[in-house]
Amino acid sequence: MQKMPDKLIEIPVFPLNTNVLPEGLMPLQIFEPRYIDMVKFCMKSNLGFIVLLDEYKVIDDKSNPKFSNLGTYVEIIDFDKLDNGLLGITVKGRFRTRILNSHIQADGLHIGDVEKLSEENSSELQDQFKNIWQVLKEISDHPEIKKMKIEIDFSSSSSVIYNLGSLLPLSSGDKQQILEASSDIERLQLLDQLIVKFGGG
């Protein structure tokens, strides 16, 4: 992945009824003209776009849709024409972003200026949350997961969090909580609770 600046200007924004974490993969079917044009622009410009969860949208006094200002910058890693004739793409989450401001083009596409959010990338939390590291190691050793060739840095708390969060069957709301958490400790606590709910604790 190319090194990205801390602020990105005029980046396409794709509100969806689902979301993706950094390091996670997401297949998408593209059919609206504005998003087909977005994909063409991103591939030509070697840029990604921002995925936001549109279930968080509210309506302001001008009846303009507003979405959660925190999402994920994703890059297109694969594309193909599907059997149903639609364009299929696979995107990979790269990093969390915050929307600084946005506007809507004539074709309805959201465009925003965003800032890249920093991560802790600590290894010091492994002893405190060793069960989370262990669960991820067990899942990543599964033959079907190995086929995905996921790159996991077990010395980085952020890499462990986002990879495990992407592999577990989390709801969009659970993922959004992880995205919006203020620290890796808070994210690990959320994951710990979710693992117990799934019967892994």
Side-chain angles (χ1 to χ4, degrees):
M1 180 182 67
Q2 61 177 319
K3 182 175 175 56
M4 303 297 291
D6 291 335
K7 290 186 178 180
L8 304 172
I9 307 299
E10 294 284 295
I11 295 295
V13 177
F14 196 173
L16 292 166
N17 61 3
T18 186
N19 52 5
V20 61
L21 296 174
E23 306 197 34
L25 301 175
M26 175 190 285
L28 294 170
Q29 293 188 39
I30 308 297
F31 54 91
E32 292 186 48
R34 57 180 165 171
Y35 295 125
I36 292 174
D37 290 342
M38 178 192 75
V39 169
K40 290 178 180 177
F41 167 80
C42 290
M43 296 186 70
K44 181 178 179 180
S45 305
N46 196 28
L47 286 173
F49 56 91
I50 309 300
V51 169
L52 291 180
L53 183 61
D54 69 2
E55 290 178 356
Y56 275 55
K57 70 183 179 183
V58 296
I59 303 298
D60 68 9
D61 293 337
K62 297 179 181 178
S63 297
N64 291 323
K66 290 186 176 181
F67 306 92
S68 168
N69 71 341
L70 201 150
T72 303
Y73 178 90
V74 303
E75 292 179 341
I76 300 168
I77 62 170
D78 195 16
F79 68 96
D80 197 8
K81 185 175 181 179
L82 304 176
D83 292 340
N84 58 11
L86 300 180
L87 173 64
I89 65 172
T90 300
V91 300
K92 181 170 184 175
R94 294 302 187 185
F95 50 81
R96 295 182 305 134
T97 59
R98 178 179 288 112
I99 304 290
L100 301 174
N101 55 73
S102 64
H103 64 274
I104 304 175
Q105 293 185 159
D107 62 359
L109 182 68
H110 291 256
I111 300 291
D113 298 337
V114 306
E115 65 175 342
K116 178 181 178 182
L117 299 180
S118 61
E119 303 293 351
E120 295 176 38
N121 296 318
S122 171
S123 61
E124 297 177 359
L125 297 171
Q126 182 170 351
D127 289 341
Q128 184 177 349
F129 295 96
K130 60 178 63 177
N131 64 309
I132 290 177
W133 265 255
Q134 184 60 37
V135 168
L136 180 57
K137 287 176 181 177
E138 291 174 359
I139 292 176
S140 61
D141 279 340
H142 190 282
E144 292 301 315
I145 301 300
K146 283 186 174 181
K147 292 179 183 178
M148 298 169 65
K149 298 181 179 180
I150 298 172
E151 296 179 1
I152 303 173
D153 181 359
F154 283 96
S155 68
S156 163
S157 55
S158 293
S159 181
V160 168
I161 289 164
Y162 294 134
N163 276 290
L164 182 56
S166 298
L167 292 171
L168 289 175
L170 303 186
S171 69
S172 296
D174 291 333
K175 290 180 181 178
Q176 192 68 25
Q177 286 190 66
I178 291 172
L179 286 172
E180 296 185 356
S182 59
S183 67
D184 274 0
I185 288 182
E186 186 176 339
R187 293 184 189 93
L188 287 162
Q189 289 171 338
L190 284 168
L191 278 174
D192 195 33
Q193 295 169 11
L194 291 166
I195 289 169
V196 172
K197 183 175 76 173
F198 293 138

